[in-house]
Amino acid sequence: MDDTKNTADDTTGTLDEALERLHSSGPERHGWLSNHGPMAVEALVRHGQAPAVHRWLDHYSHKLEDMPDPADRVTAENWREALGDPRRIADWTAYFERETAERPWRDVLAEWWPRLLPGIAAGATHPVIRVGHSVRTLLSGEATAPRVAELAHGLGYWAARHQPLPALAPLAPARSAAAALDAVPPVPVQSGGIRERLAQLTALPVWPGEVTGDADEARARLTELVRAATHRFATHGHGEPIMLVHAATAPNAVLRTLPALPRTLWAPSVAAAWAASAAVTAAYAPAEPAAYPAADASAEELFARAAAHGDDHTIKFTDTALDVGDATALAAALRSIELNPPAL
């Protein structure tokens, strides 16, 4: 995976300025749709598009809503009853702002990651993706106040929307991540919102089998899954080009977070990432693959094209495709640019 560029290269302060602009807004709009601003601006800055960030935010700002009013303070004593209550988004955000102000952000993340991981499907996987972008920033650059606050917002969103998947029966084991994704059975009725679709899940293929707890093995399996899901978008993204990007970006968020976690948490992180990727695949994948063209540009040119295109999902998926970095991944990025309507 390409890790040659990072937010530490941003000496302009653009990322922090953008995050400060965004933190007066809530993580959702219209009661359910996610605020993609923090994730998109992090990807833009990371890939050398900092000069475009404020213009992009100007266009995106009409989609933002104010942070909801607080309801009841979340504490160390009552957090279990508040978990998964979207009415408590502001309360959860304030809780994590307090926690990250009082303790190192890695300690807060390590404590809450195993609590939140079973609800990885929360908010159509957007909260874990937001956390992944935030952690990548914190690992690769200075832990400034806006960047730590962004982690608090991501964790708060995840806690408020925490949504475990239904109990799932194991299907036949798959030999690889690609084969496992191919074997995922679609939900019976592929219509309606993601919550209605995920409620229909009953079984998933067994993959990757038992991860022994070896951290290198866990990283390798997650890397394989991100690559397979990214490649699969090239052939199956036409089924639902907005939603299917999450089959790749959600496990990649987990992969990006691993270095900040105790290694004892890596193996369960693989299992959760697989469940999230497979669930999105079951909810939206089309019955048949489609042909796709080879990428006609370099990785840098493709990301510049995604930035000019302006769609938030396209920007985030292209960011993940560049992490994978091979020819099929770049073709998948081109496919997302072609399939999703431009926003600019």
Side-chain angles (χ1 to χ4, degrees), residues 252-271:
N252 200 29
V254 177
L255 180 59
R256 289 169 174 173
T257 306
L258 288 188
L261 297 171
R263 293 199 165 204
T264 55
L265 297 178
W266 287 24
S269 297
V270 178

Side-chain angles (χ1 to χ4, degrees), residues 71-74 78 81-82 85-93 156 160:
D72 189 17
R73 183 182 173 96
V74 174
N78 70 7
E81 66 190 57
D85 186 348
R87 299 169 300 178
R88 309 288 293 279
I89 283 177
D91 306 317
W92 274 112
T93 302

Side-chain angles (χ1 to χ4, degrees), residues 135-221:
V135 171
R136 178 170 68 169
T137 297
L138 290 166
L139 289 174
S140 60
E142 183 182 354
T144 62
R147 298 177 189 190
V148 175
E150 173 56 19
L151 178 63
H153 278 247
L155 291 172
Y157 183 23
W158 193 352
R161 277 293 182 190
H162 192 266
Q163 179 188 354
L165 292 171
L168 301 173
L171 299 176
R175 67 185 184 279
S176 67
L181 288 170
D182 286 342
V184 169
V187 297
V189 182
Q190 284 187 324
S191 65
I194 191 169
R195 288 173 291 181
E196 291 76 20
R197 297 181 189 223
L198 295 186
Q200 301 175 55
L201 287 172
T202 59
L204 291 177
V206 173
W207 185 89
E210 183 180 357
V211 178
T212 62
D214 177 82
D216 291 334
E217 179 191 5
R219 188 199 298 270
R221 296 288 75 77

Side-chain angles (χ1 to χ4, degrees), residues 62-344:
H62 74 279
K63 296 183 177 182
L64 302 177
E65 294 182 2
D66 291 342
M67 178 69 75
D69 292 332
D72 189 17
R73 183 182 173 96
V74 174
T75 68
E77 290 72 35
N78 70 7
W79 68 265
R80 288 175 179 82
E81 66 190 57
L83 193 65
D85 186 348
R87 299 169 300 178
R88 309 288 293 279
I89 283 177
D91 306 317
W92 274 112
T93 302
Y95 172 80
F96 283 111
E97 287 177 334
R98 295 193 302 271
E99 288 292 290
T100 53
E102 295 169 1
R103 296 194 286 151
W105 67 264
R106 287 175 181 259
D107 292 352
V108 177
L109 180 68
E111 179 182 16
W112 278 90
W113 185 260
R115 295 175 178 176
L116 297 175
L117 203 57
I120 195 170
T125 74
H126 289 107
V128 70
I129 296 170
R130 185 166 177 176
V131 168
H133 279 273
S134 171
V135 171
R136 178 170 68 169
T137 297
L138 290 166
L139 289 174
S140 60
E142 183 182 354
T144 62
R147 298 177 189 190
V148 175
E150 173 56 19
L151 178 63
H153 278 247
L155 291 172
Y157 183 23
W158 193 352
R161 277 293 182 190
H162 192 266
Q163 179 188 354
L165 292 171
L168 301 173
L171 299 176
R175 67 185 184 279
S176 67
L181 288 170
D182 286 342
V184 169
V187 297
V189 182
Q190 284 187 324
S191 65
I194 191 169
R195 288 173 291 181
E196 291 76 20
R197 297 181 189 223
L198 295 186
Q200 301 175 55
L201 287 172
T202 59
L204 291 177
V206 173
W207 185 89
E210 183 180 357
V211 178
T212 62
D214 177 82
D216 291 334
E217 179 191 5
R219 188 199 298 270
R221 296 288 75 77
L222 260 180
T223 301
E224 179 191 354
L225 175 58
V226 173
R227 179 178 294 110
T230 301
H231 287 183
R232 201 170 193 276
F233 187 91
T235 53
H236 291 77
H238 62 280
E240 217 306 334
I242 290 291
M243 294 305 298
L244 280 170
V245 302
H246 304 91
T249 55
N252 200 29
V254 177
L255 180 59
R256 289 169 174 173
T257 306
L258 288 188
L261 297 171
R263 293 199 165 204
T264 55
L265 297 178
W266 287 24
S269 297
V270 178
W274 161 244
S277 184
V280 172
T281 299
Y284 293 101
E288 299 294 335
Y292 62 90
D296 58 354
S298 67
E300 184 175 316
E301 290 167 338
L302 277 172
F303 193 86
R305 194 179 300 181
H309 179 281
D311 172 68
D312 38 22
H313 285 93
T314 300
I315 289 168
K316 293 189 299 171
F317 180 75
T318 302
D319 172 46
T320 282
L322 266 58
D323 277 356
V324 178
D326 59 27
T328 305
L330 296 185
L334 176 62
R335 191 79 171 126
S336 72
I337 295 168
E338 294 173 342
L339 288 172
N340 290 321
L344 297 179

